[in-house]
Structure formats: C-alpha cells, structure tokens
Amino acid sequence: MSTGRINGDIISAKQFTREQMERLFDDASALKPVFSARKRLDDARGRIIATVFMEPSTRTRLSFQFAGVAIGASVIDFGSSDMSSIAKGETFEDTMRMIDDYGPDVIVLRQRVPGNAARAADMCDAPVINAGDGSNEHPTQALLDTFTMRELMGKVDGLTIGMMGDLRYGRTTSSLSYVLDKFDDVTVYYIAPQELKMREEVTGELHNLRYESVTRPDDIMEDLDVLYVTRLQKERFTDPSQYDALKGSYSITVDYLRKFKKVPIIMHPLPRIDELSVDVDALPQAKYFEEARNGLYVRAALLKQILNV
Ligand code: NCD
C-alpha cells in the first residue's frame, strides 16, 4: 500500500492509509490561514475540475468548487441532471464517457446508485472522486469529519464517538467508520432505532475499531467525546410510511442535553432537518459549521495531491 500523497481515484474511505490521512490533515491545516485570509493560489492553474452531481448537494459541491478555484483550477459544473441529456434518457455510462472525453483533470461525482463511483472510475481516464454514491459511501466527508476531530481534540486515537441517526442508509457514517478504523483505541457507539441500525456489511469490514450498538444515547452520553448526529435519509426509504413512523424518533435539543453533566462536541454532516435543534447552535460544543468549513481545506488539500500540484 502506498503512503504519503493520495493519488488516483477516491472511491472508498477504506482505501486510505493512516499516513496518507495524517499528511492530508497536515496539508489541510496549512491551508487554513491561506483560505481564512482569502488568499488565492495558482498552483493548479490550467487544470480543469469537473463537478458532476446527480443528487442534491450544497456543501460538498460548493466546497469542492470553491476549493478548486481557490487553488487556481477552473471548475466546470455538470449542472442538474434535469437540464442534461440524462433527462432525455441518456445512460450514466454514456454521460460519464462523454465528460471524460472532454479531458478534465479530475471528476468529482455524486451519484444515486451505490457502486456507481467505482463504475465511473473504471470507465474514465481522469481520476474520479466519490462525492457520495447512494447509501454506500462518502469518503471525503469522512476525511473532513476526522480532520475536524483532530483539530478540536488534537488527536483521533483514543476518542469515543457516538454516531446517531440513520445508520442504515447513511453514507457519511459508513465512510467515517472506515476512516476511524485506521486509528488506535477508538470506540464508536452506533445509536439508532432498530430499523436504522448500522449495516453489517460495514461492521464486517472493521478490524481495529471497538463498537457497540445502542438504541438511545442516554446511558453513554457522558462517555462521549463527540456526538455525530445525522438526519433520516428520507430519499432512500422505499416505504414512506416507515419514514413517517421514524420521523422525530430522535432529536438533540438544549433541553435534552441539560440532563447530562458533560456535553460532548456535537458534529453533523448537514443538512439537518429536525434531529438537531437550532438552539444547540449557541452551545460552545456545537461544531458543525466549523466542520463544514473544514471541508474547504480538506478538499483543497486533496485536490492538490490528486492534481500533483
Ligand atoms: C451528507 C450526504 O450527502 O450524504 N451531506 C453532506 O455531504 N454534507 C449527509 C446527508 O445528506 O444527510
């Protein structure tokens, strides 16, 4: 396995070595003051990044685009699928072949179908970055989440993390599990109603992580360093009545958190719906907007590595 710089396709969070992640996080940290001062770099001048989002996105798409432009690259956005020939019935394969033929230096792809990022990578000459493939994975989100923990806590080893919400359909929590598995002495509590339990296909791939599934966070809240909250993935429910039944089944509010002697750092990949109340934003432990901003630094560092600039 390679160490050092990350290059080529980014399909799964399983592919990163700890050395690669530490190096990426160091690079991202170094970019922070540059971005905070709104300085622009020209390292990637003349390079073209194609952002192809076939599912809704705010943060992932925009942070890749801002990061790309800020390091000097040009960004071409595919636009919405409704406005492309996909709306006329063109296949995913033909669409990806065409985009790749125009010669981008990297393709950032979000797709509805699990496994389609890997499929695109097989077809395309340009490196493909998986920006979310259905309920499967979201590796760059896991990198920025872990970077955020490292920035806040100084290290990732030894942390105890609660992942709460829709672990059945969530892709951020599968990828985050794979990343945390590369660190030492990390404990994860998977907090979800029975119907939304973490998938065995994910836990079956974990080697180093200690994990336990619980249905409520009350008994473990004070043990947590981080509570990572996620929304119900409404668009992935095949039975809308199951979504309705589970809606509102968990919710983090200041009132709820008041019962605990110690409140952990609160993270969330966003968007939030009703599982994380806006009154939590005022707590010093609320770090989800900082987490989203970290996406910029981590994705800029990642693009620089992949573009080799
Ligand atoms: C996540 C996603 O798209 O999987 N959002 C994001 O990228 N920040 C989480 C979600 O949609 O719930």
Side-chain angles (χ1 to χ4, degrees):
M1 235 193 252
S2 64
T3 56
R5 288 177 82 100
I6 295 171
N7 55 49
D9 303 309
I10 308 294
I11 303 303
S12 167
K14 286 180 245 177
Q15 76 188 69
F16 306 122
T17 64
R18 178 170 179 154
E19 290 76 8
Q20 286 177 325
M21 292 191 279
E22 298 281 10
R23 160 119 194 231
L24 182 80
F25 297 162
D26 290 344
D27 287 2
S29 268
L31 284 171
K32 232 179 182 176
V34 177
F35 276 73
S36 301
R38 287 186 162 59
K39 284 204 197 112
R40 308 302 177 213
L41 306 174
D42 66 356
D43 311 42
R45 195 200 313 227
R47 304 305 182 90
I48 302 176
I49 298 167
T51 51
V52 182
F53 280 68
M54 298 175 176
E55 265 197 333
S57 171
T58 298
R59 276 151 291 272
T60 307
R61 182 165 42 142
L62 286 176
S63 62
F64 265 115
Q65 293 178 339
F66 271 89
V69 171
I71 62 168
S74 299
V75 176
I76 305 283
D77 186 63
F78 175 71
S80 90
S81 296
D82 307 349
M83 295 298 287
S84 76
S85 284
I86 288 185
K88 302 179 189 169
E90 186 162 46
T91 62
F92 171 67
E93 285 76 13
D94 282 2
T95 305
M96 292 313 297
R97 178 159 301 137
M98 282 312 310
I99 294 168
D100 190 49
D101 276 351
Y102 291 139
D105 295 290
V106 56
I107 299 171
V108 182
L109 174 69
R110 171 166 289 187
Q111 239 286 323
R112 219 169 278 282
V113 179
N116 264 3
R119 250 164 244 131
D122 284 344
M123 288 171 39
C124 295
D125 287 335
V128 171
I129 300 179
N130 179 6
D133 61 331
S135 56
N136 183 36
E137 278 215 55
H138 194 349
T140 65
Q141 180 72 39
L143 291 173
L144 75 91
D145 291 336
T146 308
F147 173 73
T148 301
M149 293 176 198
R150 198 186 84 154
E151 291 288 287
L152 292 170
M153 254 87 59
K155 62 180 176 58
V156 180
D157 293 328
L159 293 182
T160 300
I161 295 149
M163 293 189 201
M164 178 179 193
D166 186 348
L167 309 180
R168 176 174 180 193
Y169 296 115
R171 56 191 172 200
T172 64
T173 38
S174 50
S175 287
L176 183 56
S177 301
Y178 298 141
V179 162
L180 293 174
D181 193 46
K182 300 282 168 56
F183 290 82
D184 293 325
D185 195 26
V186 175
T187 305
V188 168
Y189 287 100
Y190 292 124
I191 310 160
Q194 269 310 321
E195 297 85 340
L196 300 176
K197 269 175 64 174
M198 178 48 93
R199 322 187 275 283
E200 278 170 19
E201 112 211 3
V202 176
T203 52
E205 297 279 331
L206 303 174
H207 308 290
N208 203 19
L209 198 71
R210 267 192 307 273
Y211 67 87
E212 191 180 322
S213 291
V214 297
T215 52
R216 296 207 39 87
D218 302 50
D219 293 341
I220 48 122
M221 186 68 85
E222 289 171 7
D223 297 332
L224 300 180
D225 297 298
V226 176
L227 177 64
Y228 184 94
V229 188
T230 64
R231 74 178 170 101
L232 282 184
Q233 305 285 301
K234 182 179 183 184
E235 66 277 29
R236 311 218 191 276
F237 279 77
T238 44
D239 173 4
S241 69
Q242 193 187 33
Y243 171 79
D244 289 333
L246 288 164
K247 199 166 153 281
S249 60
Y250 59 96
S251 164
I252 299 296
T253 63
V254 169
D255 231 23
Y256 170 69
L257 291 172
R258 250 196 270 277
K259 338 198 270 203
F260 302 102
K261 281 203 288 289
K262 181 193 143 216
V263 173
I265 298 283
I266 313 277
M267 292 176 59
H268 193 306
L270 303 175
R272 65 171 146 188
I273 312 300
D274 51 11
E275 67 287 347
L276 178 61
S277 125
V278 289
D279 61 3
V280 176
D281 299 3
L283 298 183
Q285 291 92 339
K287 298 294 183 191
Y288 25 94
F289 292 111
E290 185 171 330
E291 177 185 354
R293 198 166 56 247
N294 283 337
L296 197 58
Y297 317 133
V298 170
R299 289 180 171 128
L302 183 67
L303 287 170
K304 275 166 68 34
Q305 291 196 6
I306 291 173
L307 294 169
N308 200 16
V309 295

